[in-house]
Amino acid sequence: MKVFKFGGASVNSVDRIKNLAAILAQYPNDPLVVIVSAMGKTTNGLEKVVEAFCAGKQEEALGLFDVIKKQHTTTAKYLLVTRFNACLQQLHDFFTEVEWLLHDKPVRDFDYYYDQVVCTGELLSTCIISHFLSESGIANDWTDVRDIIRTDNHFRDAGVMWEETKERVQDVFANRQHPILLTQGFIGCTDDNESTTLGREGSDYTAALFANMLDAESLTIWKDVEGVMSADPKQFPEASLISELNFTEVIEMAFYGAQVIHPKTIKPLQNKAIPLYVKCFLDPALPGTIIHGKHLRNLPPILVIKENQVLVHLNSLDFSFVGDEPMSRLYAIFGEARIKPNLIQTGAISVQVCIDDKGDKTTALAASAAHLFDIQVEKNLELLTIRHYTEDLLHKMTAGKEPVLIQKSRETVQVLYRRGI
Ligand code: ASP
Ligand code: MG
């Protein structure tokens, strides 16, 4: 069996949903698990709903949610004939769930509400797509993935409970009625029946979990680009397609901030040597990129820019060595705040840590390390990473920039610089 994942851009219009159906029609009898994201920018829209709700602006939240309701109802109307009413009924059930919540006053924390509301995006998209596929003669089983993926209650970044989930995945797949099992990426559920999400862009990860647990022959991620590129073409017009990559390289790229594939996606695939194809849904005949576990030589330079970075300067309070005890306490603080350092530079009595600028989280982190270090935060930075760099390329890419920190290893160079310079 194979797993396919379609992201938000591949289902953001009536035509694109028709295109998805045309792709699936080319695999008539293949057992498939199809994982789909929320349509287009729905997740961002739902985030705005939660923000308004948690800020006490109930009317605004309901109004914003209304826009999302209309978008989905209209899409369903354009796509469906015989199954329109059945689909609408199901959509309404999801709408009502959110509206009930929005009519209450917020009493729990933001992350909890975030997950209860934001999970709706994938439920709505898959519901419409499932009905459309059925109407187009592509029989499929729609499943609420919250009945399958069990997670802890780290809302917005939930951890999957592997064994419970695996049992359910295998069970649901074995008992499906049709070759295609269609379900949502990105969302899960706790033992207490509360919805959770796995982190933004988490649908790739869901797809990899299914691939691993079902011993899939491959996972294909359908995107709006030719395949994995050597840089983001929006930032670097000279970016080119890389037709073959390995897991190590992709996990490094994701770690450095490439928006290609969610970083958590690779481990479940690597562990079972399941190849990952990245293909273009706009032109399925293109070869795309294959990613596997084998060793590769002579990879081209790969460029990644991570925006919105801050550099936290931590200086020893009493001139004691940063080395031992304070360092391990510092790591513990990062761990508790669930902040992953992107770059660390240590000196005798100082440490510099580059992290994503997460506003409040950054301030909270600074506060919790204040008893150990004197702290200064430098904002508005960008982190450029070049894998397989040459000195010439490094020179070219940093010309005219004002670096704040540079780190080099044999394979990788990273340059942190002020934005807009
Ligand atoms: N819809 C979610 C997001 O936009 C998950 C995903 O697309 O993978 O982050
Ligand atoms: Mg997406």
Side-chain angles (χ1 to χ4, degrees):
M1 58 83 53
K2 297 189 183 90
V3 181
F4 283 180
K5 182 258 168 173
F6 289 91
S10 66
V11 291
N12 68 2
S13 67
V14 166
D15 284 344
R16 292 226 166 146
I17 294 174
K18 289 183 178 164
N19 178 61
L20 178 153
I23 292 176
L24 293 185
Q26 292 174 16
Y27 300 83
N29 297 310
D30 287 24
L32 287 180
V33 170
V34 178
I35 307 286
V36 183
S37 301
M39 286 179 193
K41 301 273 176 244
T42 307
T43 305
N44 295 358
L46 289 165
E47 283 183 339
K48 295 268 176 323
V49 173
V50 192
E51 279 160 20
F53 171 69
C54 288
K57 299 176 193 157
Q58 197 180 50
E59 284 310 310
E60 187 183 323
L62 284 161
L64 289 166
F65 188 60
D66 224 41
V67 177
I68 292 169
K69 281 169 62 178
K70 289 211 178 80
Q71 282 164 351
H72 286 83
T73 330
T74 311
T75 306
K77 208 177 280 173
Y78 277 113
L79 282 167
L80 301 169
V81 184
T82 54
R83 290 180 157 259
F84 177 66
N85 285 336
C87 177
L88 201 60
Q89 184 60 50
Q90 233 178 318
L91 294 180
H92 272 159
D93 290 345
F94 294 130
F95 294 158
T96 311
E97 248 180 78
V98 174
E99 280 166 343
W100 269 351
L101 182 147
L102 296 181
H103 277 107
D104 273 345
K105 288 242 160 343
V107 287
R108 296 184 60 172
D109 66 0
F110 178 83
D111 289 357
Y112 165 78
Y113 287 112
Y114 180 101
D115 282 5
Q116 309 320 302
V117 173
V118 168
C119 71
T120 315
E122 321 337 76
L123 293 164
L124 300 176
S125 69
T126 53
C127 172
I128 298 172
I129 292 163
S130 171
H131 283 289
F132 178 68
L133 291 177
S134 303
E135 248 194 56
S136 317
I138 302 171
N140 67 95
D141 285 23
W142 178 91
T143 306
D144 186 333
V145 86
R146 294 174 302 175
D147 296 331
I148 304 179
I149 307 260
R150 273 286 158 280
T151 71
D152 58 26
N153 62 0
H154 266 295
F155 296 108
R156 285 184 80 179
D157 186 21
V160 172
M161 287 146 80
W162 197 267
E163 287 310 317
E164 287 96 318
T165 300
K166 186 171 164 184
E167 220 169 278
R168 286 166 213 254
V169 164
Q170 292 175 346
D171 206 50
V172 170
F173 187 71
N175 291 309
R176 75 200 190 285
Q177 313 278 311
H178 303 105
I180 296 179
L181 178 73
L182 175 72
T183 196
Q184 309 79 39
F186 174 57
I187 67 178
C189 192
T190 67
D191 277 339
D192 297 327
N193 246 339
E194 289 169 330
S195 301
T196 50
T197 63
L198 310 177
R200 285 301 307 261
E201 304 302 328
S203 296
D204 292 351
Y205 177 49
T206 307
L209 286 179
F210 273 83
N212 176 298
M213 292 170 179
L214 295 171
D215 289 312
E217 64 181 83
S218 63
L219 164 62
T220 306
I221 296 183
W222 295 90
K223 294 176 80 81
D224 56 0
V225 287
E226 253 181 283
V228 180
M229 310 292 284
S230 63
D232 181 345
K234 285 179 216 125
Q235 291 163 333
F236 303 100
E238 63 274 31
S240 59
L241 174 77
I242 310 176
S243 47
E244 191 180 2
L245 275 171
N246 61 20
F247 293 130
T248 316
E249 193 59 37
V250 172
I251 209 150
E252 294 284 349
M253 286 170 73
F255 173 76
Y256 293 124
Q259 305 275 319
V260 267
I261 289 150
H262 193 284
K264 285 202 269 184
T265 313
I266 301 303
K267 182 173 158 46
L269 300 176
Q270 189 275 343
N271 287 177
K272 288 218 171 154
I274 299 169
L276 168 62
Y277 295 93
V278 179
K279 282 186 61 87
C280 181
F281 62 76
L282 299 167
D283 191 351
L286 291 177
T289 299
I290 174 167
I291 301 159
H292 51 60
K294 292 171 231 153
H295 185 70
L296 283 176
R297 254 178 233 227
N298 299 329
L299 282 165
I302 297 173
L303 285 86
V304 183
I305 288 185
K306 223 173 196 295
E307 294 171 341
N308 283 331
Q309 299 295 295
V310 296
L311 187 63
V312 187
H313 298 262
L314 304 120
N315 292 302
S316 165
L317 285 175
D318 58 357
F319 223 71
S320 66
F321 246 23
V322 170
D324 347 303
E325 182 62 15
M327 268 313 264
S328 62
R329 276 156 67 192
L330 185 62
Y331 273 109
I333 291 170
F334 277 112
E336 278 153 29
R338 295 192 143 225
I339 290 182
K340 297 178 199 82
N342 296 326
L343 191 74
I344 300 186
Q345 177 90 12
T346 48
I349 50 165
S350 70
V351 187
Q352 295 174 359
V353 187
C354 170
I355 57 176
D356 294 346
D357 190 358
K358 294 225 171 106
D360 287 357
K361 255 191 172 181
T362 314
T363 320
L365 176 90
S368 45
H371 63 293
L372 296 171
F373 301 96
D374 170 46
I375 295 165
Q376 276 154 23
V377 179
E378 194 172 350
K379 291 187 172 246
N380 279 325
L381 305 173
E382 282 180 5
L383 180 61
L384 165 72
T385 303
I386 314 177
R387 297 269 297 158
H388 322 291
Y389 65 98
T390 59
E391 286 301 330
D392 280 354
L393 183 63
L394 173 60
H395 192 71
K396 187 177 148 210
M397 295 315 303
T398 50
K401 293 197 166 67
E402 192 186 321
V404 178
L405 188 62
I406 301 180
Q407 261 185 23
K408 259 188 193 183
S409 68
R410 221 166 31 166
E411 287 285 10
T412 310
V413 59
Q414 292 193 279
V415 185
L416 186 67
Y417 56 88
R418 292 208 175 83
R419 213 182 55 191
I421 295 176

